[in-house]
Amino acid sequence: MAQKLVIIGNGMAPGRMLEDLFERAPGLYDVTIFNAEPRVNYDRIMLSPVLSGEKTYEDIIIHGDDWYEANGVTLHRGAKVAKIDREAKTVTAENGVTASYDRLVIATGSSPFIIPVPGHDLPGVLAYRDLDDVEKMLKIAEGQGHAVVIGGGLLGLEAAYGLKQRGMSVTVLHLMDTIMERQLDPAAAYLLEKALDDRGIEIITKANTKQIIGEGRVEGVELEDGRIISADMVVMAVGIRPAAGLAKDAGLETNRGIVVDDGMATSDPAIFALGECAEHRGTCYGLVAPLYESASVLANRLAGGTAEYKGSHVNTKLKVTGIKLFSAGDFAEGPDREEVVLRDATRGVYKRVILQDNRVIGAVLYGDTADGPWYFDMLKRGTDVSEMRETLIYGQAYQGGGTADPAAAVAALPDDAEICGCNGICKGKIVSVIKDKGLTSLDDVRAHTKASASCGTCTGLVEQLMALTLGDAYNPAAVQPVCGCTDLGHDDVRRLIRAKGLKTIPAVMQELEWKTSCGCAKCRPALNYYLVCDWPGEYADDYQSRFINERVHANIQKDGTYSVVPRMWGGVTSSKELRAIADVVDKYEIPTVKCTGGQRIDMLGVKKEDLPAVWADLGKAGFVSGQAYAKGLRTVKTCVGSDWCRFGTQDSTGLGIRLEKFMWGSWTPAKVKLAVSGCPRNCAEATCKDIGVICVDSGFEIHFAGAAGLEIRGTEVLGMVKTEDEALEHIVALTQMYREQARYLERIYKWAKRIGYDEVCAQIMNDAEKRKAYFDRFVESQKYAQVDPWSERVSGKDKHEFKPMAVVGHPEPAE
């Protein structure tokens, strides 16, 4: 019979412990978790990117509801434990829920320290520890205004950056002479303070808070020197205290935290403590890497093992976009210590390594942190560096007198070298998982190991490990930068455009530190699409950042002429339209007319200078551009449906026309083709389209993610709806989800495979609120997108583009 394991707290440390325990001893325990927060487990070290807008709550969830269900875990949300009864072996929550245990793990974390100055309890004075705090900050930040952050440590600076990104003006007050004095020496602190000042964040050091002032809510902060700083919000980020009160009330041994031995057991052998509330050998850890190391030891012990936790070395990184900082160990000066320093003012680089007895005991890196893991590994091992003393400061690549490939440096790291500090993942584990599970993408490695899944600073190391492990089989296409102009991938660019509110191509290139002045033919079309999609009505579509076919609204052919495809709604036409096409063909001597696979008519061989006149004549007949060249909706193919076919079950033609008239002109990452078949015989070939509909007696079966080009694949079933209105809403919402999440030039079938078909179905079929939000955003964007480009050009927009080069700028000859 399974033993009863109760856990108080649902943070990252107990979550990691359970993952390890379930892997070691599946079925050994029935697990019950009491979580004071009303939600599932999430990545707390990523609160700062949520605050800044670079990530959402959904992005940082570690264990969703399905994980608890799959592992048989009972999770009590919003259930703060009030009492531990050690004699009865029960815990009782404030809401009255009681659970008995054979083993108990206390993982209550820590509480923020609030400076007890007058006014500390005013509304608008906030701590910064969990998602509830972030939500309160975001609510106040909606009105922008001024924020004061008390505390210039790691958490305070990340809070300041996040609030600045949300549009607030921010002042940081720090009691000491320099910011982050526990992690940085004065030189590195100076560079960091300068970088934050460049980002518009004011730093005031030697600032002693006298009181927080305000009538009814916070209005400002008064310092001991008499200065008053106005504030709509005050964030206290001056430190944390282990939450050991519950354990102390239960009679367990406590000091600053809950005292544990090397097996993470408390003074009661049936009770363990884990995370920020635990005190091991006199130390309470507040960073995630040591918490994960101790979590692994506890999982081993709960599974019957004898592992011991010996304590941890820690390193620090700052989660502020564009600032590279690494700190580890002891960097204080001393008579028995030697320091090696490198400064490069032009590049903004500062490196300092502290040695004692020819061993690294501390390192501070700013501006270039690539060698941080190498220094940290030597620090933990106590490596003798006497033979590399002369080149030590230049990093791992310079050892041996050469300039070795960075990949060779990674290859030289031992298997137990830490790669991902946030999650405590070593090189050996990453390599073994890649081999055992046949992983080929960074997303796969993140999913199976969590390496680089948090702050992302170790992504380069993980990618180098993948290249070393997989050799020629490694295909980094999915994780490659957008182009050579940037080191950022498509997903990061999209995320940062939204988070930073970037609304022009120059703004993107400046803020995201493009390596070229104006970009290139690869990145400019991508940036143009992301800006058009994210800021409809605010960003003006830049035709010059589009490919040639989209610039001239026609497809260029191999002889330099163009093809023109007018839109025929649902593939339906009339004698009037056909006569108009015939007249245009004769008038402009168009050599070829062809029916396309999308039920449209293509006129091939049109001269570039004739395009505006061809469009004008077609426009008089009621045609708009078929956008056969576009990264957008191309065609909606239909069969004749119930109006004419004896097998038809629904009006497929009518639905196809409705969809096309509703969605035409929309921007998408790549071309999109739709089809509606009136019965399961599927004459419109809906099951190989980007989105397809099969009409049946009971309604409409929606399909997606098909392909019939270089790659051939059938569709996945999204779901069944009963009415045309529902079909329209679901299809439009699916298209908008794709528009917002896909990478530029990524077809629907590739996007859906990457994020998971189940995820698409969950959001579109099962979440009515999210589906409606997608639908509404699409409708809003169509106000700006549904403009016929042919008509625009006929009216004179960019008219010069259609004149032959020989006559541009020259007067017409006289009669």
Side-chain angles (χ1 to χ4, degrees):
M1 183 176 178
Q3 300 178 63
K4 296 177 181 178
L5 174 63
V6 173
I7 302 172
I8 304 173
N10 194 36
M12 298 174 69
R16 173 56 64 89
M17 183 274 294
L18 284 177
E19 289 179 354
D20 202 342
L21 178 62
F22 291 149
E23 187 175 330
R24 293 173 185 270
L28 183 60
Y29 292 97
D30 284 332
V31 180
T32 299
I33 300 175
F34 287 84
N35 187 16
E37 290 190 62
R39 51 182 67 90
V40 295
N41 184 17
Y42 60 89
D43 190 342
R44 292 163 196 270
I45 65 175
M46 299 308 288
L47 285 175
S48 296
V50 173
L51 179 60
S52 68
E54 296 173 36
K55 288 185 179 290
T56 66
Y57 166 61
E58 287 74 17
D59 294 329
I60 68 170
I61 290 174
I62 297 175
H63 297 141
D65 291 315
D66 54 345
W67 183 86
Y68 296 95
E69 183 179 349
N71 290 286
V73 176
T74 300
L75 173 63
H76 297 295
R77 310 174 200 230
K80 185 177 181 180
V81 171
K83 180 182 178 182
I84 300 171
D85 187 332
R86 291 168 56 196
E87 289 188 9
K89 285 194 169 183
T90 61
V91 298
T92 302
E94 291 178 349
N95 62 7
V97 175
T98 297
S100 60
Y101 66 83
D102 297 304
R103 302 283 184 93
L104 173 65
V105 176
I106 303 174
T108 45
S110 60
S111 302
F113 179 69
I114 303 297
I115 306 172
V117 294
H120 71 273
D121 54 354
L122 281 170
V125 179
L126 305 171
Y128 184 30
R129 288 299 295 158
D130 58 28
L131 196 65
D132 290 333
D133 295 328
V134 171
E135 289 175 349
K136 292 173 186 175
M137 291 184 201
L138 293 177
K139 185 68 176 176
I140 298 174
E142 288 176 0
Q144 300 193 343
H146 194 92
V148 171
V149 178
I150 301 178
L154 190 69
L155 205 59
L157 296 180
E158 290 180 359
Y161 172 75
L163 293 171
K164 182 65 181 176
Q165 291 297 102
R166 292 293 184 173
M168 300 192 80
S169 59
V170 182
T171 298
V172 176
L173 305 178
H174 192 57
L175 183 62
M176 307 305 289
D177 293 352
T178 59
I179 57 177
M180 287 185 68
E181 74 283 350
R182 293 182 180 179
Q183 295 88 12
L184 302 181
D185 62 13
Y190 162 77
L191 289 169
L192 176 58
E193 187 173 330
K194 184 174 181 293
L196 293 171
D197 182 71
D198 291 342
R199 285 162 170 75
I201 298 172
E202 181 185 19
I203 308 288
I204 302 177
T205 55
K206 303 178 186 178
N208 193 5
T209 301
K210 180 179 180 180
Q211 65 173 328
I212 299 171
I213 56 179
E215 293 291 334
R217 67 167 292 106
V218 64
E219 295 175 7
V221 177
E222 182 181 356
L223 303 181
E224 287 287 357
D225 61 11
R227 281 181 290 178
I228 294 178
I229 302 161
S230 65
D232 300 288
M233 175 197 314
V234 173
V235 178
M236 293 270 193
V238 294
I240 58 175
R241 289 176 172 171
L246 185 65
K248 186 175 181 179
D249 292 343
L252 297 174
E253 182 184 355
T254 60
N255 188 17
R256 185 164 176 261
I258 306 169
V259 177
V260 297
D261 62 15
D262 290 352
M264 304 309 293
T266 68
S267 54
D268 183 331
I271 302 178
F272 302 82
L274 181 65
E276 293 176 341
C277 66
E279 180 178 330
H280 175 263
R281 299 187 183 184
T283 300
C284 297
Y285 293 97
L287 296 175
V288 71
L291 305 187
Y292 279 172
E293 291 174 15
S294 57
S296 179
V297 169
L298 179 52
N300 177 279
R301 286 298 182 103
L302 290 172
T306 58
E308 293 185 343
Y309 179 56
K310 301 296 186 181
S312 300
H313 296 282
V314 297
N315 65 74
T316 299
K317 297 167 186 172
L318 184 68
K319 289 179 285 298
V320 172
T321 301
I323 293 179
K324 297 179 180 180
L325 180 152
F326 176 92
S327 170
D330 183 357
F331 49 83
E333 297 179 359
D336 59 342
R337 298 179 176 189
E338 177 187 7
E339 65 176 10
V340 189
V341 176
L342 181 149
R343 298 178 191 264
D344 186 337
T346 302
R347 293 174 57 219
V349 170
Y350 170 78
K351 298 182 180 183
R352 179 174 174 232
V353 178
I354 300 87
L355 304 177
Q356 187 175 52
D357 298 329
N358 284 318
R359 286 168 172 78
V360 176
I361 63 168
V364 181
L365 311 178
Y366 186 93
D368 180 359
T369 59
D371 287 306
W374 180 60
Y375 291 125
F376 189 52
D377 186 64
M378 289 191 295
L379 184 153
K380 291 193 295 182
R381 295 174 181 280
T383 304
D384 188 327
V385 299
S386 54
E387 293 187 3
M388 64 179 83
R389 169 66 181 77
E390 295 303 317
T391 57
L392 181 68
I393 197 65
Y394 300 115
Q396 187 179 8
Y398 286 84
Q399 303 320 308
T403 55
D405 189 312
V410 176
L413 289 173
D415 282 348
D416 60 351
E418 183 179 86
I419 298 296
C420 177
C422 292
N423 296 294
I425 309 299
C426 66
K427 172 185 172 182
K429 179 172 182 178
I430 297 171
V431 171
S432 65
V433 171
I434 290 172
K435 290 178 178 178
D436 294 345
K437 297 186 178 294
L439 308 183
T440 58
S441 73
L442 180 62
D443 287 340
D444 289 341
V445 173
R446 285 172 170 168
H448 287 88
T449 70
K450 293 188 170 60
S452 98
S454 294
C455 75
T457 55
C458 64
T459 297
L461 288 173
V462 175
E463 291 174 344
Q464 289 174 28
L465 274 182
M466 294 180 67
L468 287 167
T469 306
L470 297 172
D472 293 339
Y474 176 54
N475 178 10
V479 298
Q480 281 186 339
V482 172
C483 65
C485 301
T486 178
D487 293 327
L488 297 171
H490 284 272
D491 296 342
D492 286 331
V493 169
R494 291 210 75 170
R495 172 173 56 81
L496 292 169
I497 284 173
R498 298 188 191 108
K500 291 176 173 287
L502 306 177
K503 298 183 180 180
T504 67
I505 289 178
V508 173
M509 292 181 176
Q510 178 63 28
E511 293 299 319
L512 303 189
E513 299 179 347
W514 238 241
K515 299 175 184 178
T516 57
S517 61
C518 297
C520 67
K522 191 171 183 180
C523 64
R524 287 191 69 93
L527 295 182
N528 186 61
Y529 168 71
Y530 295 148
L531 291 165
V532 164
C533 185
D534 289 341
W535 310 112
E538 296 184 65
Y539 173 76
D541 191 356
D542 179 17
Y543 282 142
Q544 297 310 311
S545 292
R546 289 187 175 273
F547 294 119
I548 177 62
N549 289 347
E550 293 178 289
R551 289 206 305 272
V552 301
H553 307 292
N555 280 324
I556 192 168
Q557 304 300 305
K558 67 179 184 179
D559 64 352
T561 63
Y562 291 82
S563 77
V564 170
V565 182
R567 192 172 287 281
M568 292 177 173
W569 308 107
V572 176
T573 188
S574 65
S575 59
K576 177 185 174 183
E577 289 181 346
L578 292 173
R579 286 192 187 94
I581 290 173
D583 290 343
V584 166
V585 169
D586 291 341
K587 182 176 180 180
Y588 298 99
E589 299 179 350
I590 298 173
T592 301
V593 181
K594 187 180 185 307
C595 293
T596 73
Q599 300 177 339
R600 307 297 188 264
I601 291 178
D602 191 357
M603 292 168 274
L604 297 113
V606 182
K607 301 180 184 70
K608 185 175 183 179
E609 59 267 29
D610 286 342
L611 285 173
V614 168
W615 296 335
D617 286 357
L618 290 171
K620 291 173 186 175
F623 286 111
V624 297
S625 171
Q627 294 177 306
Y629 47 80
K631 308 296 183 288
L633 177 66
R634 295 286 182 86
T635 62
V636 180
K637 188 174 182 178
T638 66
C639 68
V640 297
S642 57
D643 278 0
W644 295 97
C645 179
R646 56 198 176 97
F647 300 112
T649 60
Q650 306 285 354
D651 179 12
S652 56
T653 304
L655 176 57
I657 293 172
R658 184 180 177 188
L659 285 168
E660 189 164 0
K661 288 190 173 183
F662 195 93
M663 297 174 67
W664 77 274
S666 58
W667 319 292
T668 52
K671 65 182 178 182
V672 172
K673 295 182 178 181
L674 273 66
V676 184
S677 287
C679 76
R681 288 168 176 79
N682 194 20
C683 293
E685 300 167 340
T687 53
C688 64
K689 294 293 189 283
D690 295 286
I691 303 174
V693 179
I694 302 292
C695 300
V696 295
D697 288 332
S698 57
F700 304 87
E701 187 177 79
I702 302 173
H703 293 243
F704 72 108
L710 291 174
E711 186 170 339
I712 300 174
R713 52 162 293 124
T715 50
E716 302 290 327
V717 177
L718 182 70
M720 174 75 72
V721 296
K722 293 182 179 180
T723 68
E724 272 197 9
D725 288 347
E726 290 176 302
L728 177 72
E729 180 180 294
H730 284 69
I731 290 168
V732 168
L734 169 62
T735 304
Q736 182 67 15
M737 181 181 177
Y738 163 62
R739 298 199 320 171
E740 293 180 3
Q741 296 183 10
R743 299 161 183 164
Y744 186 63
L745 302 183
E746 184 177 39
R747 292 288 296 273
I748 284 185
Y749 72 92
K750 292 183 178 179
W751 160 75
K753 182 179 180 181
R754 176 168 60 84
I755 71 165
Y757 304 119
D758 291 343
E759 179 65 20
V760 178
C761 293
Q763 292 196 35
I764 302 302
M765 295 303 301
N766 304 330
D767 191 332
E769 184 176 343
K770 189 164 284 187
R771 180 176 68 245
K772 182 65 164 56
Y774 282 131
F775 179 84
D776 289 344
R777 289 198 292 274
F778 184 95
V779 170
E780 175 65 21
S781 73
Q782 286 295 80
K783 295 177 183 178
Y784 312 101
Q786 225 163 41
V787 176
D788 177 30
W790 286 358
S791 177
E792 273 192 327
R793 289 305 184 88
V794 168
S795 66
K797 183 177 175 64
D798 295 328
K799 199 172 184 179
H800 63 278
E801 190 160 356
F802 300 97
K803 289 188 176 181
M805 290 288 288
V807 300
V808 171
H810 294 277
E812 295 291 332
E815 289 287 331

